Amino acid sequence: MIPNVLVSISGLPKTGKTHLALTFPEPIKVFSFDGGADYVRTKFPNKAIDIENFQMPLIESDSDAEWAPPVWESFYKKYKEAVLSLAYNTVVIDTATTVHTILNQAVLEWAREEAEGRGKEKKKLAISEYHTRNLLMKAVFDLPKNSGVNLVTIQYLGDKWAVPPGGKMAEPTGELKIQGWGQTEGFSDVNIEMSTKTKIIVENKKPVERTVMVTTIKSTRFDRDTIGLAFEDTTYDEIIAVLLGG
């Protein structure tokens, strides 16, 4: 029996993250925050894929009216209902980078409201207040894990910054890191990184360039010998077979 899995898929934009997510077992529920899932779904005309699109408000400054709590609460209510209904074999968050941003802002706005009630001003979260954020993000992972549902979280990769020896300010290190919740990799069963490369193939006896998706297993709680393996234009079926030794 194949267990349900929690999979983190990270990569730069347009590297095939959503496409890979939609190869997971159907029915699939997608919570989309960038509108890209609708197009990718057209590549899977025979699969049961239900997409819930969220329209993000236009935020132009920190002084804009509060916006995050209603967006977070709407998402989490619908997400929880979808998971607990057991109507879906796979739930996809596209992207969890955006969900983390929304939740971070929501927690800050809740703290500001509480501070204002005490006649104080709140500009940023205290270290202790990140506990609320972490508990809510943990619940996002625990719900499908405990319900027997596959979860795919999609994250962007961005520059990793660090203060060099003897330096005073952080600088880009040349490495990439997940943009979003810092504990994502720890709560995922499998962490995957996506990229693309160009290959020369022969079609009609002529060499042509073709872009392929490259999927690399960065870490997993399953077979550790699979860490570092890379696949081209792969699917859920191929990855799970390798991970479980099928």
Side-chain angles (χ1 to χ4, degrees), residues 85-96:
S85 71
L86 301 182
Y88 302 97
N89 282 322
T90 302
V91 174
V92 178
I93 302 178
D94 188 5
T95 65

Side-chain angles (χ1 to χ4, degrees), residues 4 17 20 41 53 58 61 67 69 125 145-146 152 196 198 209-210 214-215 221 232:
N4 64 307
K17 300 181 297 296
L20 177 59
R41 178 174 55 182
N53 285 301
L58 179 62
S61 74
W67 61 272
L125 291 176
K145 177 181 178 180
N146 297 335
V152 180
T196 60
T198 301
E209 288 190 351
R210 179 175 171 231
V214 180
T215 301
R221 73 173 180 86
E232 294 181 2

Side-chain angles (χ1 to χ4, degrees), residues 18-233:
T18 304
H19 188 280
L20 177 59
L22 297 190
T23 69
F24 276 61
E26 59 181 320
I28 299 174
K29 176 74 173 184
V30 182
F31 293 93
S32 176
F33 290 84
D34 64 6
D38 287 305
Y39 173 74
V40 180
R41 178 174 55 182
T42 64
K43 306 295 183 179
F44 302 87
N46 299 318
K47 291 193 77 169
I49 300 173
D50 181 15
I51 298 176
E52 181 96 25
N53 285 301
F54 287 81
Q55 187 70 39
M56 294 292 291
L58 179 62
I59 307 300
E60 296 183 323
S61 74
D62 290 339
S63 62
D64 282 349
E66 294 184 354
W67 61 272
V71 180
W72 164 260
E73 289 160 4
S74 175
F75 158 72
Y76 190 71
K77 179 177 183 292
K78 293 176 180 180
Y79 173 79
K80 186 175 181 180
E81 289 173 350
V83 173
L84 296 182
S85 71
L86 301 182
Y88 302 97
N89 282 322
T90 302
V91 174
V92 178
I93 302 178
D94 188 5
T95 65
T97 298
T98 302
V99 167
H100 176 262
T101 299
I102 294 168
L103 178 56
N104 237 19
Q105 181 65 22
V107 173
L108 175 58
E109 291 180 19
W110 291 329
R112 281 176 177 169
E113 184 177 2
E114 181 182 349
E116 289 171 1
R118 294 184 281 110
K120 297 184 177 181
E121 185 179 6
K122 188 77 171 180
K123 292 186 176 181
K124 63 180 182 179
L125 291 176
I127 293 176
S128 61
E129 290 167 328
Y130 284 104
H131 184 60
T132 300
R133 188 273 315 270
N134 290 336
L135 285 176
L136 288 169
M137 284 301 298
K138 181 177 181 296
V140 169
F141 285 77
D142 285 345
L143 277 169
K145 177 181 178 180
N146 297 335
S147 301
V149 176
N150 297 310
L151 171 66
V152 180
T153 63
I154 296 174
Q155 291 82 214
Y156 292 122
L157 289 176
D159 290 328
K160 180 179 180 179
W161 290 64
V163 178
K168 295 182 179 180
M169 299 183 64
E171 300 176 0
T173 63
E175 300 178 31
L176 296 175
K177 62 176 288 188
I178 286 179
Q179 301 296 290
W181 192 39
Q183 299 181 43
T184 295
E185 293 177 306
F187 280 92
S188 300
D189 298 318
V190 186
N191 292 288
I192 287 172
E193 190 170 303
M194 302 286 298
S195 60
T196 60
K197 71 176 184 180
T198 301
K199 290 183 65 175
I200 303 296
I201 63 172
V202 177
E203 289 184 359
N204 298 321
K205 299 182 179 181
K206 293 182 179 180
V208 295
E209 288 190 351
R210 179 175 171 231
T211 300
V212 298
M213 299 183 303
V214 180
T215 301
T216 304
I217 298 175
K218 304 299 287 186
S219 63
T220 176
R221 73 173 180 86
F222 298 114
D223 186 353
R224 292 186 179 180
D225 289 338
T226 63
I227 296 174
L229 291 182
F231 309 84
E232 294 181 2
D233 290 342

